[in-house]
Amino acid sequence: MSEINLEKFGAFINEKRKALGMTQKELAEKLFLSDKAVSKWERGLSLPDVSVLMPLAQALGVTVTELLEGEELKHEETISAERTEQVVRKAISLSENPTARGNRFHKKNLPVWLAMTIAAVVEFLFVMWLGCSAITLFSSLLTLQILGVLFAAYFWLFAPERLPSYYDENSINVFVDGMFHMNMPGVYFNNRNWKHILHVCRVWSLLASVASAPVFFLLDQIPGKLQYISTLTALIFYLAGLFVPLAYAAKKYE
């Protein structure tokens, strides 16, 4: 039997956590996860990502083998080759199981993303109705709003809440998730600073989606060359508004 027994796995975590006097929230904080994730494990509704196995086992004071088996092993007990193979198969099945990787679609954030997207569309149509110039509308504002909404879709709905353990074990300054790449020379990604990085990216994408329209409408009212200078300055602040807080948060909690 190479599949993990969800109920036995969850009951074992619950038992060891309570024996250590930890709440679900306290265990979750040690793993840089939410207490909802721990709750789902203990109720047998899902499994942790394979990268969480070792830190979870360490937090509970057990071995990874005991964690996967869902029971404590006697110290004098030797693990047969057959049982070792079963444990390895369980770890492999865990990494291949969609529930193990977790639901990457953050449904709870969907209302926020929908609200900011609707706000961006309404604002764009409103400034168009007010008579904002076509150059400002389509060369600057529309581009920035589309970028804001797309970035928001990733950071609010699909970005991982936790990085794989190899980010903690190595100095990595590039985050790669499918087609999405983030490279910050001199800053290393890990689970100590990731939640702060994610927070900055989410706040920035929200502001980029809803604040662009009023800002560029005001800039459109400025006459002559001064408008060009003001627009360029706004774009610089637009980009700096992401990278400066991002670098600060990443470095502070690195």
Side-chain angles (χ1 to χ4, degrees):
M1 182 72 178
S2 60
E3 294 183 359
I4 295 177
N5 185 317
L6 286 172
E7 292 184 2
K8 186 178 180 181
F9 182 86
F12 185 64
I13 293 176
N14 180 273
E15 175 191 340
K16 301 306 297 183
R17 173 181 63 78
K18 289 182 176 179
L20 293 171
M22 277 193 293
T23 64
Q24 289 181 341
K25 185 176 181 179
E26 289 171 337
L27 176 58
E29 287 176 349
K30 288 178 178 289
L31 304 173
F32 302 98
L33 296 171
S34 70
D35 53 349
K36 290 182 181 179
V38 176
S39 176
K40 286 184 178 181
W41 301 342
E42 294 188 354
R43 288 182 290 152
L45 300 179
S46 68
L47 292 166
D49 187 273
V50 67
S51 64
V52 181
L53 286 180
M54 188 167 291
L56 176 58
Q58 291 174 345
L60 296 175
V62 299
T63 65
V64 173
T65 300
E66 290 173 323
L67 188 61
L68 291 173
E69 294 286 270
E71 60 184 12
E72 287 192 61
L73 302 177
K74 296 178 181 179
H75 292 295
E76 63 272 12
E77 182 178 351
T78 57
I79 303 177
S80 65
E82 181 181 354
R83 190 165 188 181
T84 300
E85 184 178 351
Q86 288 179 351
V87 172
V88 172
R89 286 182 180 273
K90 285 182 180 182
I92 293 173
S93 69
L94 181 65
S95 66
E96 294 174 344
N97 193 324
T99 61
R101 294 191 296 271
N103 185 0
R104 285 288 297 275
F105 181 72
H106 309 305
K107 185 169 61 176
K108 64 180 180 179
N109 294 333
L110 183 58
V112 178
W113 182 78
L114 286 175
M116 73 173 74
T117 301
I118 293 171
V121 172
V122 171
E123 287 179 349
F124 181 83
L125 294 175
F126 184 65
V127 296
M128 178 185 289
W129 178 77
L130 288 175
C132 194
S133 69
I135 295 177
T136 298
L137 281 173
F138 298 105
S139 67
S140 301
L141 178 56
L142 184 60
T143 301
L144 294 179
Q145 284 191 314
I146 290 174
L147 285 175
V149 168
L150 290 177
F151 272 98
Y154 175 75
F155 288 118
W156 286 89
L157 302 179
F158 300 105
E161 299 285 351
R162 177 184 171 81
L163 298 178
S165 58
Y166 57 79
Y167 277 93
D168 296 324
E169 298 163 0
N170 303 279
S171 298
I172 302 175
N173 58 15
V174 178
F175 167 71
V176 179
D177 184 29
M179 294 179 63
F180 185 85
H181 289 231
M182 187 187 299
N183 187 359
M184 296 184 67
V187 173
Y188 301 113
F189 296 98
N190 52 56
N191 282 300
R192 292 181 296 277
N193 62 14
W194 179 246
K195 63 180 179 180
H196 303 284
I197 292 172
L198 199 55
H199 177 71
V200 169
C201 292
R202 284 174 174 172
V203 171
W204 176 84
S205 64
L206 189 154
L207 293 175
S209 300
V210 301
S212 299
V215 169
F216 277 84
F217 175 74
L218 292 175
L219 291 173
D220 192 58
Q221 308 309 305
I222 300 173
K225 293 183 178 179
L226 189 58
Q227 181 186 114
Y228 173 79
I229 296 172
S230 300
T231 302
L232 183 61
T233 303
L235 288 172
I236 292 172
F237 275 99
Y238 180 91
L239 295 174
L242 171 62
F243 291 108
V244 173
L246 189 62
Y248 174 78
K251 201 65 181 176
K252 180 179 179 180
Y253 298 99
E254 186 178 275

PDB file of all heavy atoms in Angstrom, residues 233-246:
ATOM      1  N   THR A 233       7.537  61.554 -15.068  1.00  0.00           N
ATOM      2  CA  THR A 233       7.756  61.486 -13.619  1.00  0.00           C
ATOM      3  C   THR A 233       6.786  60.503 -12.971  1.00  0.00           C
ATOM      4  O   THR A 233       7.174  59.715 -12.091  1.00  0.00           O
ATOM      5  CB  THR A 233       7.577  62.883 -12.986  1.00  0.00           C
ATOM      6  OG1 THR A 233       8.467  63.803 -13.615  1.00  0.00           O
ATOM      7  CG2 THR A 233       7.849  62.837 -11.492  1.00  0.00           C
ATOM      8  N   ALA A 234       5.517  60.540 -13.419  1.00  0.00           N
ATOM      9  CA  ALA A 234       4.511  59.631 -12.869  1.00  0.00           C
ATOM     10  C   ALA A 234       4.873  58.173 -13.156  1.00  0.00           C
ATOM     11  O   ALA A 234       4.701  57.298 -12.301  1.00  0.00           O
ATOM     12  CB  ALA A 234       3.140  59.961 -13.445  1.00  0.00           C
ATOM     13  N   LEU A 235       5.385  57.912 -14.359  1.00  0.00           N
ATOM     14  CA  LEU A 235       5.779  56.548 -14.716  1.00  0.00           C
ATOM     15  C   LEU A 235       6.947  56.060 -13.863  1.00  0.00           C
ATOM     16  O   LEU A 235       7.001  54.888 -13.470  1.00  0.00           O
ATOM     17  CB  LEU A 235       6.161  56.489 -16.202  1.00  0.00           C
ATOM     18  CG  LEU A 235       4.994  56.606 -17.187  1.00  0.00           C
ATOM     19  CD1 LEU A 235       5.528  56.727 -18.611  1.00  0.00           C
ATOM     20  CD2 LEU A 235       4.072  55.394 -17.074  1.00  0.00           C
ATOM     21  N   ILE A 236       7.867  56.968 -13.579  1.00  0.00           N
ATOM     22  CA  ILE A 236       9.013  56.612 -12.719  1.00  0.00           C
ATOM     23  C   ILE A 236       8.524  56.249 -11.322  1.00  0.00           C
ATOM     24  O   ILE A 236       8.941  55.246 -10.736  1.00  0.00           O
ATOM     25  CB  ILE A 236      10.027  57.769 -12.668  1.00  0.00           C
ATOM     26  CG1 ILE A 236      10.694  57.942 -14.038  1.00  0.00           C
ATOM     27  CG2 ILE A 236      11.079  57.512 -11.593  1.00  0.00           C
ATOM     28  CD1 ILE A 236      11.575  59.171 -14.146  1.00  0.00           C
ATOM     29  N   PHE A 237       7.618  57.079 -10.795  1.00  0.00           N
ATOM     30  CA  PHE A 237       7.060  56.786  -9.472  1.00  0.00           C
ATOM     31  C   PHE A 237       6.231  55.505  -9.501  1.00  0.00           C
ATOM     32  O   PHE A 237       6.174  54.763  -8.511  1.00  0.00           O
ATOM     33  CB  PHE A 237       6.201  57.954  -8.992  1.00  0.00           C
ATOM     34  CG  PHE A 237       6.992  59.037  -8.306  1.00  0.00           C
ATOM     35  CD1 PHE A 237       7.357  60.191  -8.986  1.00  0.00           C
ATOM     36  CD2 PHE A 237       7.380  58.895  -6.983  1.00  0.00           C
ATOM     37  CE1 PHE A 237       8.102  61.178  -8.355  1.00  0.00           C
ATOM     38  CE2 PHE A 237       8.125  59.874  -6.343  1.00  0.00           C
ATOM     39  CZ  PHE A 237       8.487  61.025  -7.027  1.00  0.00           C
ATOM     40  N   TYR A 238       5.583  55.245 -10.617  1.00  0.00           N
ATOM     41  CA  TYR A 238       4.770  54.042 -10.795  1.00  0.00           C
ATOM     42  C   TYR A 238       5.632  52.790 -10.619  1.00  0.00           C
ATOM     43  O   TYR A 238       5.277  51.863  -9.883  1.00  0.00           O
ATOM     44  CB  TYR A 238       4.147  54.076 -12.184  1.00  0.00           C
ATOM     45  CG  TYR A 238       3.267  52.894 -12.536  1.00  0.00           C
ATOM     46  CD1 TYR A 238       1.906  52.915 -12.277  1.00  0.00           C
ATOM     47  CD2 TYR A 238       3.804  51.773 -13.169  1.00  0.00           C
ATOM     48  CE1 TYR A 238       1.087  51.840 -12.629  1.00  0.00           C
ATOM     49  CE2 TYR A 238       3.004  50.703 -13.521  1.00  0.00           C
ATOM     50  CZ  TYR A 238       1.644  50.738 -13.246  1.00  0.00           C
ATOM     51  OH  TYR A 238       0.855  49.676 -13.594  1.00  0.00           O
ATOM     52  N   LEU A 239       6.786  52.771 -11.289  1.00  0.00           N
ATOM     53  CA  LEU A 239       7.694  51.627 -11.196  1.00  0.00           C
ATOM     54  C   LEU A 239       8.407  51.584  -9.845  1.00  0.00           C
ATOM     55  O   LEU A 239       8.582  50.521  -9.254  1.00  0.00           O
ATOM     56  CB  LEU A 239       8.714  51.680 -12.334  1.00  0.00           C
ATOM     57  CG  LEU A 239       8.135  51.523 -13.747  1.00  0.00           C
ATOM     58  CD1 LEU A 239       9.213  51.740 -14.789  1.00  0.00           C
ATOM     59  CD2 LEU A 239       7.493  50.152 -13.912  1.00  0.00           C
ATOM     60  N   ALA A 240       8.825  52.762  -9.377  1.00  0.00           N
ATOM     61  CA  ALA A 240       9.505  52.823  -8.079  1.00  0.00           C
ATOM     62  C   ALA A 240       8.580  52.376  -6.961  1.00  0.00           C
ATOM     63  O   ALA A 240       9.022  51.814  -5.951  1.00  0.00           O
ATOM     64  CB  ALA A 240      10.001  54.243  -7.814  1.00  0.00           C
ATOM     65  N   GLY A 241       7.278  52.629  -7.147  1.00  0.00           N
ATOM     66  CA  GLY A 241       6.299  52.224  -6.145  1.00  0.00           C
ATOM     67  C   GLY A 241       6.238  50.732  -5.936  1.00  0.00           C
ATOM     68  O   GLY A 241       5.756  50.257  -4.906  1.00  0.00           O
ATOM     69  N   LEU A 242       6.713  49.960  -6.913  1.00  0.00           N
ATOM     70  CA  LEU A 242       6.805  48.515  -6.752  1.00  0.00           C
ATOM     71  C   LEU A 242       8.182  48.098  -6.267  1.00  0.00           C
ATOM     72  O   LEU A 242       8.317  47.415  -5.249  1.00  0.00           O
ATOM     73  CB  LEU A 242       6.497  47.812  -8.076  1.00  0.00           C
ATOM     74  CG  LEU A 242       6.771  46.295  -8.097  1.00  0.00           C
ATOM     75  CD1 LEU A 242       5.890  45.576  -7.091  1.00  0.00           C
ATOM     76  CD2 LEU A 242       6.565  45.732  -9.495  1.00  0.00           C
ATOM     77  N   PHE A 243       9.230  48.519  -6.979  1.00  0.00           N
ATOM     78  CA  PHE A 243      10.559  47.965  -6.730  1.00  0.00           C
ATOM     79  C   PHE A 243      11.193  48.444  -5.421  1.00  0.00           C
ATOM     80  O   PHE A 243      11.894  47.675  -4.771  1.00  0.00           O
ATOM     81  CB  PHE A 243      11.474  48.268  -7.916  1.00  0.00           C
ATOM     82  CG  PHE A 243      11.093  47.514  -9.155  1.00  0.00           C
ATOM     83  CD1 PHE A 243      10.513  48.159 -10.238  1.00  0.00           C
ATOM     84  CD2 PHE A 243      11.280  46.143  -9.230  1.00  0.00           C
ATOM     85  CE1 PHE A 243      10.143  47.461 -11.377  1.00  0.00           C
ATOM     86  CE2 PHE A 243      10.903  45.430 -10.365  1.00  0.00           C
ATOM     87  CZ  PHE A 243      10.333  46.094 -11.441  1.00  0.00           C
ATOM     88  N   VAL A 244      10.959  49.683  -5.041  1.00  0.00           N
ATOM     89  CA  VAL A 244      11.557  50.177  -3.787  1.00  0.00           C
ATOM     90  C   VAL A 244      10.966  49.464  -2.575  1.00  0.00           C
ATOM     91  O   VAL A 244      11.708  48.900  -1.754  1.00  0.00           O
ATOM     92  CB  VAL A 244      11.419  51.712  -3.682  1.00  0.00           C
ATOM     93  CG1 VAL A 244      11.874  52.183  -2.305  1.00  0.00           C
ATOM     94  CG2 VAL A 244      12.228  52.397  -4.783  1.00  0.00           C
ATOM     95  N   PRO A 245       9.626  49.438  -2.389  1.00  0.00           N
ATOM     96  CA  PRO A 245       9.072  48.694  -1.249  1.00  0.00           C
ATOM     97  C   PRO A 245       9.373  47.200  -1.312  1.00  0.00           C
ATOM     98  O   PRO A 245       9.583  46.564  -0.279  1.00  0.00           O
ATOM     99  CB  PRO A 245       7.564  48.946  -1.362  1.00  0.00           C
ATOM    100  CG  PRO A 245       7.414  50.134  -2.215  1.00  0.00           C
ATOM    101  CD  PRO A 245       8.566  50.105  -3.163  1.00  0.00           C
ATOM    102  N   LEU A 246       9.404  46.659  -2.539  1.00  0.00           N
ATOM    103  CA  LEU A 246       9.677  45.243  -2.711  1.00  0.00           C
ATOM    104  C   LEU A 246      11.082  44.891  -2.239  1.00  0.00           C
ATOM    105  O   LEU A 246      11.291  43.937  -1.473  1.00  0.00           O
ATOM    106  CB  LEU A 246       9.500  44.866  -4.177  1.00  0.00           C
ATOM    107  CG  LEU A 246       9.526  43.379  -4.529  1.00  0.00           C
ATOM    108  CD1 LEU A 246       8.392  42.647  -3.849  1.00  0.00           C
ATOM    109  CD2 LEU A 246       9.442  43.203  -6.038  1.00  0.00           C
TER     110      LEU A 246
END
